[in-house]
Amino acid sequence: MGDKKVIFSGMQPSGALTLGNYLGALKNWVKLQDEYDCYYCVVDMHAITVPKEPKDLRRNTLEVLANYIASGIDPEKSTLFIQSHVSAHAELGWVLNSLSYYGELSRMTQFKDKSKRLDSNSIPAGLFVYPTLMVADILLYQADLVPVGEDQRQHLELTRDLAARFNNRFSETFKVPDAYISSEGAKIMSLQDPQSKMSKSDSNENAYILLVDSHDAIRRKFKRAVTDSMGVVSYNDEQPGVKNLINIYSKISGKTSETIVSEYEGKGYAQFKDDVAEVVFGELKPIQEKINYLLKNKDYLEKIYLLGAEKAEYVARKTLRKVYKKIGFIPR
Ligand code: TYM
């Protein structure tokens, strides 16, 4: 374990996970487990930056953990834990709030997008400092790589900036991590508007596929997916809807976009959409069965997250102790 490079990543339990979360991040996490020392976190503290019903948060947190395991994250290989169980995240987050600037946090596009939807008097301060908590998540484990989707790239750049800033000011302390963003699947787009990303907070449920969607729902949503009037399955930016469907198909089947395009030469969108739906459901079916099984076995999930918190805490405390010492806090 000790010599392996370190991976950290997390997902918000803000609702059920989407095909975007799965293809952009989770599917890559599974592949990285053998080669790296991986920490995969359910970031519940991030999820409260927008108002959330306590009972939904509790349910979603366990569901996300079940989704991780059902998708192939092996608790024997990777450390799985819940963010709020390791208080070092909040503590380093505070230190980093004092190291980051109002200007740079104002430029974060995720903050701009989310705050735009709210009245200016009701934008939680937590939403503004959300990225510094994410930076803390990553730096506590001295992560080398952070597997995420394209939408998190800017937060990863901030992570690198703050790590370097701390190292410059207080001497070498943090590893400066790299983002790991794979080419296909890095940005799965909405099925209703292929110019915007697939998101679980979309008001139109036809825009996203949830990992727990039924076979019928998946078929229906792909049938309704917005394409274009060209009628040719081809991979280019003028046909963003079709391109998105090809990306989904490709990421799951492992076939290249060229192969897929040649398979559908002379065939219409209807057949293609049906086939994409079947490929997606084929991938999700065994995952759904495992999710259902795990959610009936809460004791098992509890064992996993308690053990994970212990392992994570040990590593995180070690980094935090160093940080506190360097910034001049008196050791207790
Ligand atoms: P979150 O919870 O929004 O998304 C979890 C992961 O899924 C990826 N993703 C997508 N990838 C491709 N296409 C999409 N349509 C799509 N939608 C989401 C995201 O890029 C992400 O990798 N801030 C993070 C959570 C976080 C985190 C961290 C991540 C907190 N601390 C530390 C990595 C490291 C977020 O909101 O992800």
Side-chain angles (χ1 to χ4, degrees), residues 146-163:
V146 184
V148 285
E150 183 61 42
D151 62 331
Q152 297 300 317
R153 192 186 285 281
Q154 197 186 26
H155 288 159
L156 259 298
E157 272 156 25
L158 179 74
T159 307
R160 294 171 56 85
D161 287 348
L162 289 183

Side-chain angles (χ1 to χ4, degrees), residues 8 10-12 20-21 24 130 134 137 148-149 151-152 185-186 188 198:
F8 184 95
M11 295 200 184
Q12 294 192 66
N21 297 133
Y130 175 112
M134 174 162 167
D137 298 341
V148 285
D151 62 331
Q152 297 300 317
I188 300 298
M198 181 182 284

